[in-house]
Amino acid sequence: MITLNYKNKDALAGDIAGYWEEWNSSRTTAMALWAEIDNYLLATDTSMLEGGDNFDHKTHLPILSELHEDLLAIVYSTMFPHEDWLGWKGFEINAITKQLRGKLQSYIKQCHALSGFNIQMRKVIDDLVRYGNCFAQAYYKNDTTDTDEGYVSGYSGAAIKRISPFDIVFNPTATDFEKTPKIIRSLVSVGELLEFLEGISDEDKVITPEEVQSLLKRRTGGFRDSAERYKEKQYIPQGFGSLDEYYSSGYVELLWFYGDILDEVETKVYKKRCIVIVDKDTVVLDKQEIKSSVFKGGWTARPDNLWSQGPLDKVVGINYMINHRENGKNDAIDKFIYPDRSYVGDVEEIYDEVTGHTKYIMPEGGSVSDIRPDSTVLTFDNQIMMHRDLARTSARLPQQLAGFRTAGEKTATEVQSLNDGAFRGFINKVSQVEEDLLEPLIQAEMRIAKDNFSSIIKVLEEDEEGILLTTSITEEDLSANGKLLPMGSRRFSRQLQQLQGLTQLTNTNISQMVAPHINTYNLAKTVESLYGFDKYAFIKKFAAVDENLEMQEKQMVAEQEMVKTSSEPTSLEMEMMGEEEDEF
């Protein structure tokens, strides 16, 4: 909750803009680190990095880039291991039926396929890996258009969008992200601003038509009063050199405020407000938004600070050290090839162009010697490899997760145990992001779908035999007492434990003791489920016996047909028999 003058809209706009500047400046160090990480990810040589001009060589070893790519792949595959990453948890008898679960899962799959959910989530996970903080917002998207034939094309429904960590601020000392006020910055064109203003209801709209014209006049070289000139010294929009550059850019800066407000004049609390400010001085929208639609995920939580630490934060210094060692080694190797020389006495150097040799004429007591670096510099390769391994473990990325074999021979059980331990850190991180961001995001999508429900929705649902059938989604289905839960990491973790248990069981004497009591059909179904082969349904009770019986029956029929065919005369024999009858 923030304290400001709520009733005075001019003061309200300025106060919210002031909070943006205050909270944005409080994370200057974090944004500088994020910018440095981006530089390391995109650099091609050390001249593009701070402090990278200390050596003649400018080689940049992309350690951060390698870790970034590996982390992206592993985190995404852990969170979304397959299409069935969403589960349903009902809270009453009518909400736990298999039919309802299938309907809702098919509906949300169709929404995600049409709204670009996967594209946005890849960006969100990239923010998580790069900066340790990721943000997403659920909203109602309407891209439908009426065609000349009278058909309606385009998607209309719940969708999500990624929010850049650079474009959102909040009180970092708050105890809970959901409860702290948030301010989101966005840039839109003038046309998009006018379209946005037209879509605001009269009840929520604060700006008058005269104020709209004033906003447009600023961007056509109109007169700006002294208050705006003062604002230019205080609040220059981020990314623009001056206020004139901002007004002439064709873009408009919007600040979206979400949270509770304590009016310092009336001493009254206004709950769950959504306020939009243009140019940091004009309020255009003020409405109540009961349910928050902005959610945050983090990598490593900091105590008493909502800004989390990222997996690459600890590796930047190691990457600098690796570059330092690599370029120092390369400079030393050049000194071995082209060493400096020490001359004692009046030495005359003569180059023979015919032979390509250099002659040195030295006085008595004179000498020429090469000055070579210490040969221990050649051991830098070992130190570089050690620091590369340190970088991977610091990012919680052991080598076996990237497909590299570790040293030493191992049994199958040891390999499984190492993989389980390596994945444990990722499962913990992904589970945390699922609980903090993905789960409430899916629930917000379902809430938005229900609030904007207009007619029965047709979706495709796959039956047990893999056939796609059309099913209807009603408003009652969307109102079921339950919730969709992301099960990617949880199911992945459980499968790892069960697979490890089966592997260990088969490699011990216990398997012989329990063998007489094992239901082999249920064991086969367990293996089918753990390895994700449920949809293929290739495991059935005594299926091999039935197939062998069917094969034998078909073989017998084929043999009978062959005997029958061989006992009858061929067409050539029939022709010869006909010729013999004609002769007689």
Side-chain angles (χ1 to χ4, degrees):
M1 183 182 300
I2 61 175
T3 303
L4 41 76
N5 189 348
Y6 177 72
K7 288 299 183 179
N8 187 335
K9 297 307 178 183
D10 291 336
L12 174 66
D15 289 343
I16 291 178
Y19 274 105
W20 164 270
E21 296 296 334
E22 177 184 348
W23 290 338
N24 191 44
S25 62
S26 67
R27 57 174 186 156
T28 303
T29 304
M31 289 192 293
L33 179 58
W34 298 346
E36 186 178 11
I37 290 174
D38 287 338
N39 289 337
Y40 269 88
L41 293 178
L42 301 176
T44 56
D45 58 70
T46 57
S47 63
M48 303 173 64
L49 304 172
E50 185 178 355
D53 296 326
N54 299 328
F55 299 98
D56 293 336
H57 283 267
K58 307 297 180 186
T59 303
H60 168 59
L61 297 182
I63 307 300
L64 243 66
S65 181
E66 293 176 8
L67 297 178
H68 173 253
E69 295 296 331
D70 290 341
L71 283 167
L72 276 181
I74 296 175
V75 173
Y76 190 86
S77 62
T78 305
M79 187 177 295
F80 306 108
H82 41 67
E83 292 184 357
D84 299 326
W85 57 272
L86 267 177
W88 169 258
K89 184 176 182 180
F91 301 123
E92 60 183 17
I93 298 298
N94 296 331
I96 61 176
T97 61
K98 184 178 180 181
Q99 182 182 7
L100 177 62
R101 181 179 71 246
K103 280 186 175 183
L104 295 177
Q105 289 177 337
S106 299
Y107 170 73
I108 201 68
K109 283 182 182 179
Q110 179 168 301
C111 290
H112 288 171
L114 297 176
S115 64
F117 176 86
N118 291 339
I119 297 175
Q120 294 297 319
M121 281 307 301
R122 286 189 182 276
K123 296 178 180 179
V124 170
I125 293 176
D126 183 63
D127 288 338
L128 175 69
V129 173
R130 282 178 185 251
Y131 313 123
N133 300 272
C134 59
F135 303 87
Q137 182 176 15
Y139 71 104
Y140 178 72
K141 182 179 182 180
N142 188 0
D143 289 339
T144 58
T145 56
D146 296 330
T147 62
D148 297 337
E149 293 79 10
Y151 297 101
V152 177
S153 62
Y155 172 73
S156 173
I160 71 165
K161 61 182 177 181
R162 167 247 184 189
I163 300 174
S164 171
F166 289 95
D167 290 335
I168 182 172
V169 297
F170 46 85
N171 182 8
T173 61
T175 57
D176 189 359
F177 177 79
E178 182 180 358
K179 297 179 181 179
T180 180
K182 296 166 278 287
I183 304 176
I184 301 173
R185 174 182 181 268
S186 64
L187 288 176
V188 299
S189 66
V190 176
E192 290 172 332
L193 173 65
L194 295 177
E195 185 178 356
F196 166 68
L197 294 177
E198 290 176 359
I200 301 176
S201 64
D202 294 337
E203 181 183 357
D204 299 330
K205 185 181 293 186
V206 179
I207 191 171
T208 63
E210 292 76 16
E211 290 174 325
V212 173
Q213 293 301 318
S214 176
L215 291 177
L216 299 177
K217 189 177 180 181
R218 296 173 180 176
R219 287 157 175 81
T220 57
F223 172 74
R224 292 194 287 275
D225 58 19
S226 58
E228 291 184 0
R229 288 194 292 271
Y230 173 75
K231 188 181 72 171
E232 180 172 5
K233 299 178 182 178
Q234 297 295 320
Y235 305 127
I236 297 177
Q238 188 175 352
F240 298 91
S242 66
L243 207 58
D244 286 328
E245 291 181 16
Y246 164 65
Y247 284 142
S248 60
S249 66
Y251 288 96
V252 182
E253 182 187 56
L254 303 182
L255 294 181
W256 296 71
F257 171 84
Y258 298 92
D260 301 337
I261 296 176
L262 172 62
D263 191 341
E264 60 186 3
V265 177
E266 298 180 342
T267 317
K268 179 180 178 182
V269 176
Y270 294 86
K271 305 282 290 185
K272 306 294 184 182
R273 305 309 300 176
C274 173
I275 302 172
V276 180
I277 300 170
V278 175
D279 294 343
K280 293 183 177 175
D281 64 357
T282 305
V283 178
V284 298
L285 179 144
D286 184 4
K287 67 176 183 177
Q288 187 177 34
E289 190 165 298
I290 302 298
K291 291 289 187 179
S292 173
S293 58
V294 181
F295 309 100
K296 174 187 180 296
W299 186 265
T300 301
R302 300 176 188 266
D304 305 321
N305 192 334
L306 291 180
W307 287 107
S308 304
Q309 185 182 44
L312 303 181
D313 293 3
K314 309 170 185 177
V315 189
V316 175
I318 299 176
N319 204 159
Y320 172 81
M321 184 181 296
I322 290 174
N323 288 343
H324 189 83
R325 293 281 193 275
E326 178 68 22
N327 291 305
K329 179 196 70 176
N330 292 336
D331 283 1
I333 290 175
D334 287 346
K335 292 297 184 182
F336 278 105
I337 301 173
Y338 305 106
D340 296 331
R341 287 195 172 100
S342 173
Y343 296 89
V344 177
D346 188 9
V347 179
E348 183 179 357
E349 185 176 330
I350 302 174
Y351 177 73
D352 189 344
E353 295 181 356
V354 177
T355 62
H357 295 164
T358 301
K359 299 178 181 179
Y360 299 93
I361 302 176
M362 297 176 287
E364 184 178 354
S367 65
V368 177
S369 59
D370 292 337
I371 303 176
R372 299 183 183 275
D374 190 344
S375 60
T376 56
V377 74
L378 300 178
T379 64
F380 277 12
D381 283 336
N382 296 331
Q383 297 185 29
I384 291 172
M385 290 302 299
M386 180 185 67
H387 285 100
R388 289 177 73 106
D389 294 340
L390 178 61
R392 301 189 72 86
T393 54
S394 298
R396 201 62 176 86
L397 187 65
Q399 287 193 4
Q400 58 265 33
L401 291 188
F404 297 103
R405 179 180 174 84
T406 55
E409 294 187 4
K410 302 173 183 64
T411 64
T413 304
E414 289 174 334
V415 171
Q416 184 67 39
S417 299
L418 288 173
N419 287 338
D420 292 346
F423 270 108
R424 193 172 296 119
F426 285 99
I427 293 171
N428 176 55
K429 299 297 184 184
V430 175
S431 298
Q432 178 180 321
V433 177
E434 285 178 342
E435 294 173 3
D436 295 342
L437 181 137
L438 192 55
E439 181 178 329
L441 195 64
I442 299 298
Q443 295 174 17
E445 285 187 292
M446 297 299 292
R447 184 173 62 250
I448 292 172
K450 177 186 174 183
D451 293 341
N452 295 276
F453 189 86
S454 57
S455 62
I456 296 177
I457 304 170
K458 299 290 186 180
V459 299
L460 293 177
E461 183 179 3
E462 187 174 337
D463 63 6
E464 296 180 353
E465 298 180 357
I467 301 174
L468 292 176
L469 303 175
T470 303
T471 185
S472 300
I473 305 295
T474 64
E475 188 174 5
E476 183 180 357
D477 294 332
L478 298 178
S479 304
N481 188 9
K483 61 180 179 179
L484 289 165
L485 296 174
M487 304 294 293
S489 65
R490 305 172 208 185
R491 188 178 298 165
F492 195 68
S493 174
R494 184 60 176 162
Q495 285 178 341
L496 283 176
Q497 294 174 354
Q498 293 173 335
L499 285 172
Q500 182 183 5
L502 283 177
T503 303
Q504 291 177 345
L505 181 64
T506 55
N507 288 295
T508 61
N509 295 329
I510 300 178
S511 60
Q512 299 176 2
M513 299 172 60
V514 302
H517 310 288
I518 291 179
N519 185 321
T520 55
Y521 172 70
N522 289 342
L523 179 61
K525 295 296 290 184
T526 301
V527 172
E528 180 188 46
S529 175
L530 290 178
Y531 282 95
F533 296 135
D534 308 68
K535 64 179 296 184
Y536 301 104
F538 59 77
I539 292 182
K540 295 182 179 179
K541 199 167 189 176
F542 302 121
V545 177
D546 295 337
E547 285 187 356
N548 286 332
L549 180 61
E550 184 180 357
M551 182 180 65
Q552 292 175 5
E553 290 177 351
K554 290 188 176 181
Q555 285 179 342
M556 293 175 58
V557 172
E559 290 175 357
Q560 293 174 1
E561 289 291 334
M562 185 177 296
V563 172
K564 180 179 179 182
T565 303
S566 61
S567 64
E568 295 178 354
T570 63
S571 59
L572 180 59
E573 291 175 341
M574 292 290 293
E575 185 178 350
M576 294 176 63
M577 292 172 60
E579 291 177 354
E580 291 178 356
E581 291 178 356
D582 293 340
E583 291 178 357
F584 291 105

